[in-house]
DNA sequence: GTTCTAGAAC
DNA sequence: GTTCTAGAAC
């Protein structure tokens, strides 16, 4: 009965036809081995999840050379698989989380598929940023060290971290690029290359990381109250990420000619600061035109820079 | 994972 | 006041 929310990604990963996924799941792209969906509770302007599909067919006939492996049996069906024969797939149990994947001989191969797919996702995001805002900014690829939903998912998330769904400290810190809870794809790949089969810290230690201070990943400032951090993130995004892209040289003319447009946008969006899904907001012809005017409030930094 | 509620703690 | 922690969710 309990609606198993934690199995939602498993169901998506098992989909035979990603095109036929429920509208609610908002599929972005898919290929033979991965499916990418919009995060249902996006914690930034752009936030996608890249999942390895089930079954995940290994391309090589054998998993990576087991450094010291007893003859393995597939955890999924309990049957012995004798090497090179036709279809061997990565057991779903290996893809429950980044932790189980690390222990799997298929780790490198699954990561490779996620990397390739996420490259395409980043292309998509970058293009949309350019169209919507006339500039681009940081995008991170990372796994949560301790996920709450079953099935491996790579977060692809823009580092503005501006979203009304970002509601708690643990949300913020779980994506913070230096806190350590978010395990970047590059780092995980390096672990696999180095032969690591477990994460460096315990689950409890990772969870502790979520309890630290509210420190901006942009400026290093710490905030006492979550709403202050939220205001900072929003202000930084508008004033330091978006605004600089239109400050220089030839933009004067453009700015002038587009002033009316910008004003319209401003008033139109005043009620609800643009928080709609980015991909549905394409309407302007000129990339530069879509840059939102930074408006009046120059600097609404909180009064408590420290502690 | 989210939403909601409650009380304790700062 | 806001944050933190905990529990329930048919």
């Amino acid at each position: 009965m309990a609606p198993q929310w934690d199995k939602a990604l498993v169901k998506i990963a098992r989909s035979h036809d990603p095109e036929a996924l429920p509208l609610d799941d908002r599929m972005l792209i898919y290929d033979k081995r991965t499916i990418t969906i919009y995060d249902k509770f996006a914690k930034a302007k752009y936030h996608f999840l890249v999942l390895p599909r089930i079954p995940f067919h290994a391309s090589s006939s054998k998993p990576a050379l087991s450094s010291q492996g007893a003859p393995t049996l597939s955890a999924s069906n309990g049957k012995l698989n004798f090497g090179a024969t036709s279809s061997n797939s990565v057991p779903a149990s290996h893809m429950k989380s980044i932790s189980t994947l690390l222990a799997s001989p298929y780790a490198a191969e699954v990561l490779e598929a996620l990397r390739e797919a996420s490259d395409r996702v980043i292309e998509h995001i970058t293009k949309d940023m350019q169209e919507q805002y006339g500039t681009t900014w940081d995008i991170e690829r990372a796994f949560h060290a301790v996920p709450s939903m079953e099935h491996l998912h790579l977060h692809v998330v823009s580092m503005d971290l501006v979203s009304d769904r970002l509601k708690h400290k643990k949300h913020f810190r779980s994506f913070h690029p230096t806190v350590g809870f978010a395990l970047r794809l590059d780092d995980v790949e390096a672990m696999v290359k180095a032969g690591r089969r477990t994460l460096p810290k315990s689950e409890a230690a990772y969870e502790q990381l979520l309890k630290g201070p509210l420190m901006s990943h942009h400026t290093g400032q710490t905030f006492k109250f979550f709403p202050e951090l939220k205001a900072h993130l929003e202000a930084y995004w508008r004033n330091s990420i978006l605004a600089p892209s239109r400050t220089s040289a030839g933009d004067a003319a453009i700015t002038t000619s587009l002033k009316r447009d910008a004003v319209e946008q401003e008033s139109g969006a005043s009620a609800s600061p643009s928080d709609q899904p980015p991909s549905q907001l394409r309407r302007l012809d000129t990339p530069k035109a879509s840059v939102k005017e930074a408006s009046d409030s120059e600097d609404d930094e909180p009064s408590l820079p420290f502690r």
Side-chain angles (χ1 to χ4, degrees):
Chain A
M1 145 179 357
Q4 301 188 70
W5 54 264
D6 59 323
K7 298 289 197 300
L9 298 182
V10 178
K11 297 188 68 172
I12 294 170
R14 287 189 186 280
S15 170
H16 293 117
D17 180 9
E19 297 285 359
L21 278 169
L23 268 154
D24 202 39
D25 290 331
R26 304 243 291 145
M27 192 269 297
L28 176 72
I29 55 172
Y30 70 96
D31 57 43
K32 188 103 174 134
R33 309 162 92 186
T34 69
I35 297 177
T36 299
I37 57 169
Y38 289 72
D39 190 297
K40 200 168 181 176
F41 301 94
K43 302 303 190 298
K45 293 295 176 187
Y46 299 86
H47 188 176
F48 298 94
L49 306 178
V50 187
L51 324 179
R53 295 177 70 169
I54 305 172
F56 185 103
H57 297 291
S59 67
S60 55
S61 52
K62 288 182 114 175
L65 306 166
S66 54
S67 44
Q68 66 141 33
T72 61
L73 57 122
S74 157
S76 65
N77 53 21
K79 287 181 180 173
L80 287 169
N81 275 336
F82 285 96
T85 45
S86 53
S87 66
N88 72 338
S89 56
V90 179
S93 62
H94 294 203
M95 299 188 289
K96 278 175 137 48
S97 68
I98 190 55
S99 196
T100 63
L101 186 73
L102 265 185
S104 167
Y106 298 98
E109 196 164 354
V110 173
L111 289 177
E112 182 184 23
L114 296 180
R115 169 171 287 280
E116 287 172 8
S118 63
D119 282 344
R120 293 182 57 205
V121 176
I122 287 176
E123 277 179 40
H124 165 86
I125 294 174
T126 302
K127 184 173 174 224
D128 199 84
M129 284 175 168
Q130 200 56 241
E131 289 176 5
Q132 298 297 318
Y133 305 107
T135 188
T136 63
W137 59 96
D138 288 352
I139 301 164
E140 288 279 348
R141 288 185 270 198
F143 303 95
H144 279 166
V146 185
S148 8
M149 290 201 291
E150 187 174 316
H151 196 62
L152 185 67
H153 49 289
L154 176 67
H155 291 271
V156 182
V157 56
S158 59
M159 289 310 286
D160 48 89
L161 297 181
V162 171
S163 164
D164 58 357
R165 312 316 296 262
L166 190 101
K167 296 180 174 179
H168 304 291
K169 179 162 74 176
K170 67 176 179 183
H171 290 153
F172 174 69
R173 289 184 61 91
S174 76
F175 290 105
H176 196 291
T178 59
V179 158
F181 187 89
L183 307 173
R184 303 167 108 149
L185 179 60
D186 294 341
D187 296 337
V188 173
E189 285 172 340
M191 286 185 220
V192 171
K193 243 174 198 151
R196 281 207 71 102
R197 308 206 43 170
T198 60
L199 292 178
K201 297 180 203 293
S202 70
E203 196 166 299
Y206 281 115
E207 282 167 344
Q208 274 307 112
L209 295 177
L210 299 176
K211 311 213 170 178
L214 295 169
M215 187 181 75
S216 167
H217 59 298
H218 297 308
T219 65
Q221 285 173 287
T222 64
F223 300 88
K224 181 137 182 139
F225 300 112
F226 197 72
E228 292 172 345
L229 171 69
K230 296 270 295 175
H232 161 78
L233 292 173
E234 167 76 23
Y236 191 91
W237 179 63
R238 283 191 289 102
N239 300 333
S240 299
I241 293 177
L242 295 188
S245 69
R246 51 170 293 281
T247 51
S248 57
D251 284 351
I254 294 175
T255 301
T256 303
S257 71
L258 293 173
K259 192 164 285 177
R260 185 185 344 109
D261 207 22
V263 167
E264 287 176 296
Q265 277 190 278
E266 199 67 25
S267 57
S270 62
S272 63
S274 62
D275 232 342
Q276 285 81 2
S279 62
Q280 295 180 351
L281 296 177
R282 55 187 60 187
R283 39 196 264 265
L284 297 171
D285 38 1
T286 316
K288 283 290 180 188
S290 60
V291 176
K292 233 167 102 176
E293 172 54 41
S295 82
D296 39 11
S297 64
E298 249 324 72
D299 193 354
D300 37 304
E301 290 304 68
S303 48
L304 302 171
F306 296 98
R307 189 121 187 139

